[in-house]
Amino acid sequence: MATHSRRIPSTCPKAILFDLDNTLIPTRRGDQAACDKVGEILVQQHGVPENVASRIVQSFLINFRLCPAQPDGGLDEWRMMLWAHALGDQYADIVGNIYQQWLALRWRFLSLQPEVKQLLVRLRERFLLAIITNGPSNHQWEKIHNLSIAPYFDHIVVSGDLLWEKPDHRIFLEACETLGVRPVDCLMIGDKLETDILGGHEASLGATVWVPLSSASLENKLLNGNDNCRPDHTIKSVLDLPSVLSKDSEPPAFLKAKHNPINRMLSRVSMFDMEDTNSNASDGS
């Protein structure tokens, strides 16, 4: 297997860079769950047939995930328009009600889980923490504000505020510069090989950690992807991150070379002494 040339830190990481969507918050699962609940509301409160309710919420979700950078009239108006289109003339009178219920459900299902909050608090006692997220500025900052995410981090970078997005190495270097750390002293964790992991390698970060959105195609993605998209660690949940930072963590097979510098780095992070917060939850869909 070909290898890529990277600088590896000689000590433990000083900063951890997190992706936001589907890494810290369950965006795809949460959006699906909110729409599923709205489907139930349509049936139970408004007498909509189940098959029609299912069609309505899936129509909304498909269009919602197209996510234009600058929707006409603002986010609320754009999302109301999507619900109006999905509900059609027959249910036009409940558009406002359905929108408000969906919005409240969305924030509920996307919220930081208590275990994730606890993990971030403990991590921040030892490391600088930052978020690097791709997406339109208004979409991403709305999540950050409404979910009260900012207090857990030292810096947040949204690609919509810059001229580049992941995997461009410059967005990672911007975060490192603001945090006052070298790229080699940072660890990146995210759910996308082609943005979080590739970008971490391109920026010469110390190590990358992949949290796959689904385990279905995990092996094929790892085997068929290029080496610059190959993560240094793969975990099921962000809650498993302490295992990467523990001296007892077991490295992946391709890191088990006798003199592999990643192994040396991981073996030295014995200072990370925290409770086991691993999750038994399954991967997102």
Side-chain angles (χ1 to χ4, degrees), residues 44 60 71 75 99 107-108 135 147 154 179 199 210 231 234 241 270:
Q44 297 168 5
F60 169 81
L75 286 178
Y99 173 62
W107 298 136
R108 190 178 94 191
L147 300 176
D154 299 288
L179 292 173
W210 185 33
T234 300
L241 185 57
S270 58

Side-chain angles (χ1 to χ4, degrees), residues 14-18 119-121 123-124 127-131 152-156 179:
K14 295 179 181 178
I16 303 175
L17 313 178
F18 291 85
L119 172 66
L120 293 173
V121 169
L123 286 171
R124 204 171 180 203
F127 308 98
L128 294 169
L129 303 185
I131 289 175
Y152 296 93
F153 292 89
D154 299 288
H155 185 45
I156 296 175
L179 292 173

Side-chain angles (χ1 to χ4, degrees), residues 42 60 104 121 153 162-163 188 196 220 223 254-255 262 266:
L42 287 171
F60 169 81
V121 169
F153 292 89
L162 304 172
L163 298 176
M188 177 68 202
D196 303 307
N220 286 336
L223 292 176
F254 61 84
L255 292 179
I262 286 282
L266 293 176

Side-chain angles (χ1 to χ4, degrees), residues 173-218:
L173 298 185
E174 192 280 339
C176 294
E177 181 177 357
T178 301
L179 292 173
V181 296
R182 301 179 304 164
V184 73
D185 293 323
C186 294
L187 180 150
M188 177 68 202
I189 176 168
D191 70 297
K192 289 188 176 180
L193 294 175
E194 66 274 20
T195 57
D196 303 307
I197 305 307
L198 175 61
H201 289 318
E202 295 292 333
S204 297
L205 301 187
T208 57
V209 180
W210 185 33
V211 188
L213 187 59
S214 171
S215 60
S217 58
L218 171 59

Side-chain angles (χ1 to χ4, degrees), residues 4-109:
H4 49 270
S5 176
R6 297 175 54 210
R7 296 178 299 156
I8 303 298
S10 58
T11 59
C12 67
K14 295 179 181 178
I16 303 175
L17 313 178
F18 291 85
D19 171 54
L20 176 62
D21 293 298
N22 304 307
T23 299
L24 287 171
I25 61 174
T27 308
R28 289 191 69 84
R29 279 184 294 159
D31 284 340
Q32 183 67 62
C35 283
D36 289 344
K37 190 65 178 177
V38 169
E40 295 176 12
I41 291 171
L42 287 171
V43 173
Q44 297 168 5
Q45 297 182 16
H46 301 283
V48 179
E50 287 188 14
N51 63 320
V52 176
S54 177
R55 175 185 57 77
I56 288 171
V57 296
Q58 287 309 309
S59 172
F60 169 81
L61 187 57
I62 289 169
N63 288 302
F64 174 68
R65 283 177 171 166
L66 294 177
C67 190
Q70 296 295 334
D72 295 336
L75 286 178
D76 287 317
E77 291 79 2
W78 170 66
R79 294 182 300 215
M80 282 275 286
M81 179 191 69
L82 295 184
W83 275 116
H85 174 75
L87 287 161
D89 293 339
Q90 185 175 359
Y91 302 106
D93 60 320
I94 61 171
V95 170
N97 176 271
I98 290 300
Y99 173 62
Q100 291 300 327
Q101 291 193 75
W102 167 80
L103 193 60
L105 287 164
R106 185 175 194 237
W107 298 136
R108 190 178 94 191
F109 285 117

